Amino acid sequence: MARIGVFICHCGENISATVDVMKVAAEAAKIPGVAHSVEYKYMCSDPGQQLVKNAIREKGLTGVVVAACSPRMHEPTFRRACAEAGLNPFLCEMANIREHCSWVHEKGDATTDKAIDIVRTLVAKVKKNKALQPIKVPVTKVAMVIGGGIAGIQASLDIANAGHQVILVEKEPSIGGHMSQLSETFPTLDCSQCILTPRMVEVAQHLNITLFSYAELESLDGFIGNFKARIRKKARSLDEKLCTGCGLCTQKCPSRRIPSEFDAGLGLRPAIYVPFPQAVPNKPVIDREHCTYYRTGKCRLCEKVCPTQAIRFDQQDEIVEADVGAVVLATGFDIKHGDFFPEYGYGKYRDVIDGLQFERLASASGPTLGEIRRPSDGRVPETVVFVACAGSRDPAKGIEYCSKICCMYTAKHAMLYKHKVHHGKPYVFYMDIRAGGKMYEEFVRRAMEEDGVQYVRGRVSRIFERGGKLVVKGVDTLLAARPLEIEADLVVLATAGIAQPGAEELAQKLHVSYDAHKFYAEAHPKLRPVETNTAGIFLAGACQAPKDIPESVAQASGAAAKVAALFSQSELVREPLIAVVDRQAPPVYSSCVGCFLCQSACPYQAIEKEEIRGRDGQLLKTVAKVNPGLCQGCGTCVAFCRTKSIDIQGFSHEQVHAEVLALLNRGERDA
Amino acid sequence: MKTGFYPGCSMKGSAREYSESLLALAREIGRELPEVPDWNCCGATAAHNLDRDLALALPARILAAAEKAGMDEVLVPCAACYSRLKVTRHELLADDSLRQRISGLVEADYRGSAGVLNIIEWLGRVPDLEKLVKKPFQRKVACYYGCLLVRPAGVVKFDRPEDPQSMDLLMKKIGADPIDWAFKTECCGAGFSVSRTDLVARLSGQILDDAVSRGAEAVVVACPMCHLNLDLRRPNIEKRAGKKFHLPVIYITQAVGMALGLKPKQLGLQRHKVSPSALLAPASAKPPAGSKSASGDSPASAPLSGSSAGAPASTASKVN
Amino acid sequence: MRSEAHAHGVGAALSDRVREKTGVDVARCYQCGKCSAGCPLASEMDFPPSQVMHLLQLSAAFPELAEQALRSHTIWLCLTCEICYCRCPMELDIPAIMDALRHESLQQRKVNPRARDILAFHRAFLDSVKYTGRLFEMGQVVDYKLRSGHFLQDLLQAPWMFLVGKLHLLPERVRNRRQLARIFAKTLKARENRP
Ligand SMILES: Cc1cc2nc3c(=O)[nH]c(=O)nc-3n(C[C@H](O)[C@H](O)[C@H](O)COP(=O)(O)OP(=O)(O)OC[C@H]3O[C@@H](n4cnc5c(N)ncnc54)[C@H](O)[C@@H]3O)c2cc1C
Ligand code: SF4
Ligand code: SF4
Ligand code: SF4
């Protein structure tokens, strides 16, 4: 006879404000098989858990239902408590009366009734629960880091320094990410390249790190500790082992008028190129779209000049397979480009540029060698207008969130400009200044007080060109919202920080969730900021949301610590919520008829054939068998099996049926 | 497809030449333009400034009459009237109870079946307009759209609200050279022509100033109100600006009409305050040149030079 | 969730009444000022559009600010050029709000004295439409001159307009003028006569 305990949580007021928890407890007590029913303010707290443990011991409970929040939140908590009291943890179930009830309904009898129904179904289920044993799986102690910006670099180095192997996959010809494009960095104004390039070199030289640059993830299968990655190494069109990085080819290549991605379109590069002189690896790639040979079939000049005969025009993409135990996603972000702001002439006027372009103008390695010169005519701009929130906090033309980094880099830009053009006049149009962070507010104050940057509180309505000047029509809302007009030589838009263009596709390959803006979603916004909802896949840097370098690095180190913790175990414990094929005593052995429809349906290739032989070795029957290491518990096979011979442990036909009946019977009673 | 014609009040009066030139053009290309029967004033700015129901009822009465006459769409050449009719149709189709209430007011069951067409859309439909051109209109023109052809974007759903191009394309088809200028969609002062002439003089003055400074030989408009402000109010504008603008303002239909070889009289060109006679003289021989501005052309064409990127460093980079 | 407590009926804040009439929620405005930056007449206005939004935002707490909005010159200067709406990052239909404020201002007889000429013009315009169904420009101009007292200002243009055939001495008329009169009676007139 079942003895079920029901524990109803108020969740502070999260539940009790809309659900009458007393009534739920009273009603639950009346359900046949319920031996104990109580409510408490915080069931997950220590005294709350103690209530569960004591009841198990004192009342000899055979099953537990905790009516509280989502199982995603606290199922592990309560299962652990049950185990500590000697009850098999899989005999404990959560009835979600918060997300599925109190949060989504108004206070009232109907809401309380729904909560009671939810409890009723879980009681019915738990009566059918069976004690299960967790599955143990080995861990492959190799991490794959995707994205070689500062976040990916930091995560790789930290994991490698902890003694584990790292595979770093970067889609561009060089690692470095956006940080390599920056001139100097807030809030200290240290040179970006100077702090970044040593780390890039360290990555290249680290014995534990294998770098695949110009490569992308093709697919990822498996599960935590046991992933299988397929990586596409895009054809560089040269033999990396032979190439010495001498650069002769890049100097001789005749098609040289290609806008450089690294210089944000402000400089030019040849068809065979290295993105920037400090690139890692320092090996060129041929951009086949622009290369004369690939376009016309003639040229091959690089091949002729290459002293080591490294050029390979017929090279194909290569697929590399790797077993990895954990993945760190560090694919970074992008900024909004194009003519999404027609009233600002962005994409139309050459002297209306974005923040990254300004970084290149200010960078000693940039197209102007660090002199601020405007793109149209190369003149030094006397007046520069910086526009913050260009597309951020702008549901109409951009995105509704705050990109977080622009206030700071705009202050930096205005400052750098003033440092380089002493007589120049920098203006910043802003709505709010968000400078929370160590030394951040002080940095912005410095821009205003020491460098005399003119901050104008208001938005710009329109920018148009007149006689070689850009007329900026703005407003100062602190001056009675009077319109202002500034004739500028250069306008810098702090365009919104957005997700990488390929973010969604990659997320789907990895089965990780992402938000409406295609930024990767953390498992919990406060308590699990570096994990995804997929076990074994972690997050670092601006792929999760726009963030600055200190935050990206901190998160990367956090992700690396998570990976190291994972790799510190030799075995992992997995929940046994997997498919099992029916087994019976002879002479039936199994209800499975051996049609193997399940095998073709399983997306994880987890179904094998098992031959059942008699004592004499004679083949009696061939039946399906599930490999517990591969099965993900998706249940596809269950739906396919015609003889109902496959079940998912923990969600068996019997259990689900009992839940449904509990609801239906309630309907009969009400009628 | 039956296309009706709603002239609106000004095309019968102060903008007579707009309707003359339109009808002459319609004859020339063989289009019928029957007037909406017993049409009334759309109410213009005055109605929506003073009363919402009146502002909806007046246009609804017009549209209902067009529907009753079996018209599938109504050409509304005046941009101001176009806006009122378009907004009314939009609002009444979005809200059925409002539609019923206004139907009651105008004593007709307005269904919203007749579409509302502006002059650029109508001209854009003339097949092979280029081939009909007899005298290419080889002039630098400033296409002035004003406010109401393109805004509010969600209601009119015509061209883009910033830097629209449809009129420019049309002008190219008749051989003109539309300039890239900054005041295409800035307000001319609209309904303040009489009550706040001072404001009109300022706003319209800015528009003319920009057009002149970029070498326009004419401003092309599609709205009697804009025309009134830019042409008839020229003395006020010039007085305020303290200088003369010898820049004629012509209707889009007059520009197309001239290119199609219609007579100035047919197009009502004699009725302007600022004489467009300069446009009637043969165009100077020069081919229409693109108006290149200091920073206007394509971003990738000539990036900053002096780049060192692309070549890998043969020496080790300096690192702190 | 927004409290519905004082959203309806008398005593509702001006911002709530505006929302009721236009569907626009002024709470969305975050005072960026882009509307004022682009408004062609912001420099003539006592409250540029973003400030009108702020007056409305605070109107529930400070009724005297609602009063200022209704008595402002701004609402009559607004040209309905739609620039502000077109560029507002939060897509607030400011011109619709201006319409709603004008209607209330008129009904509550709070029209700013400086807007007299503008209002006189609108009235003259609509009178012409009321009697003839169409705008009779000549008649309207004369009517406006009488209402505003600016006799000579525009008549200077008139002889020239006659000459080129732009002004007519006699109005064009709609046939079914009775029906138009009924429309006016049920709309503008009904409201203006309300105490
Ligand atoms: C104009 C501007 C100025 C800034 N100034 C500062 C500053 O002064 N100080 C500061 O602290 N921060 C600054 N920042 C912010 C800084 O750039 C970011 O914090 C930092 O770049 C984030 O690093 P990341 O590694 O997360 O992303 P990224 O730098 O974007 O790197 C991501 C990397 O992943 C690679 N990648 C992307 N997708 C894939 C894929 N599918 N497969 C493989 N690889 C992939 C990319 O090629 C790239 O190399 C600035 C940002 C901007 C836009
Ligand atoms: S083939 Fe010619 S164009 Fe292509 S990379 Fe080599 S040298 Fe350059
Ligand atoms: S533009 Fe929109 S959000 Fe900005 S101040 Fe004006 S109404 Fe408010
Ligand atoms: S619609 Fe009115 S408030 Fe808005 S920009 Fe135009 S004149 Fe200004």
Side-chain angles (χ1 to χ4, degrees), chain A residues 106 341 343-344 392-397 430-431 457-462 473-475 477 479-483, chain C residues 1 28 30-34 36-39 42-48 50-51 83 86-91:
Chain A
E106 305 282 332
F341 246 129
E343 66 263 51
Y344 290 175
S392 301
R393 307 168 68 196
D394 186 340
K397 299 221 171 66
Y430 73 101
M431 290 204 286
R457 201 277 169 201
R459 259 195 175 175
V460 171
S461 169
R462 193 158 87 101
K473 289 177 74 85
V475 73
T477 58
L479 293 173
R482 293 291 152 219
Chain C
M1 207 180 290
R28 279 177 60 75
Y30 53 21
Q31 287 298 307
C32 70
K34 197 172 180 185
S36 301
C39 174
S43 51
E44 321 280 338
M45 292 172 169
D46 40 1
F47 298 101
S50 59
Q51 292 201 328
I83 284 261
C86 172
R87 295 191 184 140
C88 170
M90 302 305 279
E91 295 172 290

Side-chain angles (χ1 to χ4, degrees), chain A residues 170-173 212-215 232-236 285-286:
Chain A
E170 166 58 55
K171 74 165 190 230
E172 296 298 325
F212 291 120
S213 61
Y214 209 46
R232 174 181 295 273
K233 283 187 68 191
K234 293 178 278 187
R236 275 188 119 91
V285 295
I286 297 182

